[in-house]
Amino acid sequence: MITRYVLEDAESIDLPGRTFHTYFGPWNSDAEHLSIGLSVYPAGSRPEGHIHPAEEETIFCVKGRGRIVSPDATAELTPGVLVHVAPGTFHATESDGPEDLELLCVFTPSVRAGSYEKES
């Protein structure tokens, strides 16, 4: 089976410092073990970081410039760079501008966008 997913059909959620567009996951496909979305950080955005307790995240920089920061390392982001974040790793994203930072995010196992954010 081949199924096409487009931004206009993605579930979009506003999270601190970014908008996350969930393209694909168990809730809208036959996938059982992963979810994929596009995270868009406006230029200058630097939201507090977070942890995915059980999920690994693989991040591909589509557009823009910035970095993923953890207590142990910093990964500079430019188009074409891929970063892997192990489960349980605190990480924060910084967008340098001048354009938005767009990151394709793949989670295994799947996760609902925002479920890992601190409660206000």
Side-chain angles (χ1 to χ4, degrees), residues 42-55:
S45 178
R46 286 173 169 66
E48 290 185 30
H50 57 265
I51 295 172
H52 307 285
E55 301 84 16

Side-chain angles (χ1 to χ4, degrees), residues 32-117:
E32 296 179 22
H33 306 290
L34 74 126
S35 56
I36 302 172
L38 182 72
S39 195
V40 180
Y41 294 78
S45 178
R46 286 173 169 66
E48 290 185 30
H50 57 265
I51 295 172
H52 307 285
E55 301 84 16
E56 59 186 308
E57 181 178 12
T58 304
I59 302 163
F60 180 79
C61 182
V62 177
K63 177 180 160 187
R65 299 190 178 284
R67 68 198 52 75
I68 304 286
V69 179
S70 78
D72 299 325
T74 297
E76 295 296 324
L77 297 170
T78 56
V81 170
L82 185 129
V83 175
H84 181 262
V85 179
T89 302
F90 174 85
H91 58 288
T93 304
E94 300 176 351
S95 174
D96 290 343
E99 61 188 345
D100 291 350
L101 177 64
E102 294 185 5
L103 305 175
L104 183 69
C105 303
V106 179
F107 296 93
T108 53
S110 65
V111 67
R112 278 295 205 172
S115 64
Y116 39 80
E117 297 290 333

